[in-house]
Amino acid sequence: MKVLKIFYLLLIMHAISLEFVFAQCGSNSIPNVTSCFDFGESYNDYELVSGGKVSDLIGSCLLPATSAATTPQKIILLGVLEVDIDYSFAANSKIITFKNDDYPEIEITSSSLLKIHNSTILSCGNLWQGITVNSGSRLELFNTTLYSIRNNI
């Protein structure tokens, strides 16, 4: 009986730690996307991004632009990621989109440049909206795989 109580206590502590990891990025719900993880990956490998401007998410959910260009990132995107500054996702980055209330989307605004090289963007479950490149903005994709897009680029 004592072993069972310890197990439950550890289980509760684990659930609390998962909540803490994702709460810093503005969402209390943890989507079930484990089927989209590569072998050996866990929620601790990812940052949960509920959406917003890249400039506002740096430091909490996203790496600073200088680090992002050389350090791979793994994120779970729930909403619209607005690229309002020049930003890069380094090689081996992975973005998993998950439909929460709206279809996830990446939108490049403010004459910004988004670079994604040697990386993967995929939907877990439903389709994702795609990448919108507004007038004056630029998108640079190189050897990047995009899966399950609703409206493409």
Side-chain angles (χ1 to χ4, degrees):
M1 189 68 165
K2 195 176 214 180
V3 172
L4 190 57
K5 286 181 181 178
I6 291 172
F7 173 76
Y8 284 129
L9 180 61
L10 290 174
L11 187 62
I12 290 169
M13 288 172 55
H14 181 68
I16 290 170
S17 70
L18 281 177
E19 191 71 32
F20 177 76
V21 167
F22 294 126
Q24 65 184 330
C25 295
S27 177
N28 291 325
S29 78
I30 301 172
N32 184 8
V33 294
T34 55
S35 62
C36 296
F37 290 168
D38 291 331
F39 181 76
E41 287 183 327
S42 73
Y43 282 108
N44 292 330
D45 298 321
Y46 286 83
E47 287 291 339
L48 190 68
V49 178
S50 56
K53 294 181 177 184
V54 168
S55 60
D56 294 336
L57 297 170
I58 288 176
S60 61
C61 301
L62 297 175
L63 292 174
T66 52
S67 301
T70 57
T71 305
Q73 297 184 80
K74 294 182 178 183
I75 66 170
I76 299 170
L77 178 61
L78 299 178
V80 177
L81 180 64
E82 184 182 331
V83 181
D84 61 330
I85 59 172
D86 290 353
Y87 199 78
S88 299
F89 283 95
N92 299 314
S93 290
K94 185 174 179 183
I95 300 171
I96 295 176
T97 65
F98 184 83
K99 184 181 183 299
N100 202 4
D101 294 329
D102 294 318
Y103 289 96
E105 171 182 6
I106 298 173
E107 182 178 3
I108 309 169
T109 63
S110 307
S111 301
S112 301
L113 167 65
L114 175 63
K115 294 181 182 182
I116 307 174
H117 293 187
N118 300 307
S119 297
T120 303
I121 305 175
L122 67 126
S123 175
C124 195
N126 295 311
L127 299 175
W128 64 289
Q129 195 68 15
I131 301 174
T132 301
V133 183
N134 289 315
S135 179
S137 300
R138 300 174 319 255
L139 172 65
E140 183 179 299
L141 294 175
F142 178 76
N143 199 28
T144 294
T145 306
L146 309 173
Y147 291 104
S148 305
I149 303 175
R150 184 178 173 150
N151 289 327
N152 297 319
I153 298 172

